């Protein structure tokens, strides 16, 4: 910081805790809100409602920490099959409805993974390219962060550390959540 007095006086420091100025500060906090609804008819399914439309190819990348992903696109609906050490996930995503439905291996798998999937979907909603998940990956599998988040299948061990190793699953989401709590206190 070249002018610490200006940095403090003008409140620029708030950007580091999410209370920021402009489009990337607290006004953007809604991007991290995801409504999670367990399915009434299938105890192994959960529907996630996001606050904004999303990119189906970015979702495919963000599912890789859970296992190997096969992806099919038909009529604007993304269908994914994920097989990994944490179980099998079947995912149906409809961007224009802002909904993602995940069928887990069973009720126990749903309880174990539902929150982790939600944390990863926060990155889908509003990744700002901070690089925290790439830095925390013990295998260097996250090769690019930002609007084109990319995970190397060859390097990823499916440890989920890039998600669970960060509070709220995302450094930016954690920062914004902390700011909302302080302001709404």
């Amino acid at each position: 910081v070249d002018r610490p007095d200006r940095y403090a006086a003008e409140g620029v420091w708030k950007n580091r805790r999410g209370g920021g100025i402009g489009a990337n500060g607290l006004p953007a906090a809604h991007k991290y809100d995801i409504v999670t609804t367990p399915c009434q008819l299938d105890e192994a399914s959960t529907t996630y409602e996001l606050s904004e439309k999303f990119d189906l190819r970015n979702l495919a990348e963000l599912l890789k920490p859970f296992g190997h992903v096969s992806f099919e696109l038909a009529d604007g609906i993304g269908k994914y099959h994920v097989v990994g050490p944490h179980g099998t996930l079947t995912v149906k995503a409809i961007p224009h409805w802002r909904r993602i439905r995940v069928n887990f291996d069973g009720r126990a798998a749903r309880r174990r993974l539902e929150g982790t999937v939600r944390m990863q979907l926060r990155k889908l909603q509003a990744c700002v390219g901070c690089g925290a998940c790439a830095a925390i990956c013990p295998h260097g599998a996250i090769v690019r962060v930002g609007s084109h988040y990319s995970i190397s299948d060859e390097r990823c061990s499916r440890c989920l550390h890039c998600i669970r190793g960060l509070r709220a699953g995302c450094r930016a989401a954690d920062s914004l959540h902390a700011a909302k709590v302080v302001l709404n206190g």
Side-chain angles (χ1 to χ4, degrees):
V1 178
D2 59 341
R3 299 229 12 234
D5 56 329
R6 182 184 158 270
Y7 184 73
E10 293 179 11
V12 178
W13 61 273
K14 293 177 185 176
N15 285 330
R16 293 182 177 256
R17 284 300 295 161
I21 302 158
N24 290 327
L26 198 54
H30 76 280
K31 290 182 178 183
Y32 295 99
D33 294 336
I34 296 173
V35 177
T36 305
T37 310
C39 181
Q40 299 292 328
L41 302 174
D42 182 358
E43 61 186 21
S45 295
T46 298
T47 299
Y48 299 89
E49 186 174 341
L50 285 65
S51 61
E52 297 186 356
K53 291 181 184 178
F54 53 89
D55 182 271
L56 292 170
R57 299 212 185 272
N58 284 347
L59 177 58
E61 286 298 315
L62 291 168
L63 290 172
K64 286 182 180 179
F66 297 98
H68 294 282
V69 179
S70 58
F71 170 61
E72 175 187 325
L73 178 62
D75 298 324
I77 298 172
K79 295 179 183 177
Y80 310 82
H81 190 68
V82 184
V83 179
H86 310 287
T88 301
L89 305 174
T90 305
V91 180
K92 184 177 179 182
I94 309 170
H96 60 277
W97 285 355
R98 302 179 335 255
R99 288 202 173 98
I100 298 171
R101 182 176 180 148
V102 179
N103 294 323
F104 298 93
D105 255 352
R107 189 173 58 189
R110 188 188 103 210
R111 278 195 312 267
R112 191 175 63 254
L113 294 172
E114 184 176 68
T116 307
V117 169
R118 182 171 156 191
M119 287 190 290
Q120 192 69 335
L121 293 177
R122 285 186 180 129
K123 292 176 191 171
L124 177 67
Q125 276 295 114
C127 176
V128 296
C130 73
C133 25
I136 202 168
C137 178
H139 306 288
I142 301 174
V143 294
R144 197 166 64 190
V145 177
S147 62
H148 299 288
Y149 193 100
S150 182
I151 299 172
S152 168
D153 257 331
E154 295 77 32
R155 298 185 93 174
C156 183
S157 69
R158 316 303 187 232
C159 67
L160 301 178
H161 196 67
C162 61
I163 307 167
R164 292 179 175 166
L166 299 165
R167 283 181 38 166
C170 173
R171 182 73 67 214
D174 177 49
S175 177
L176 287 169
H177 175 73
K180 281 171 59 175
V181 170
V182 168
L183 291 175
N184 296 331

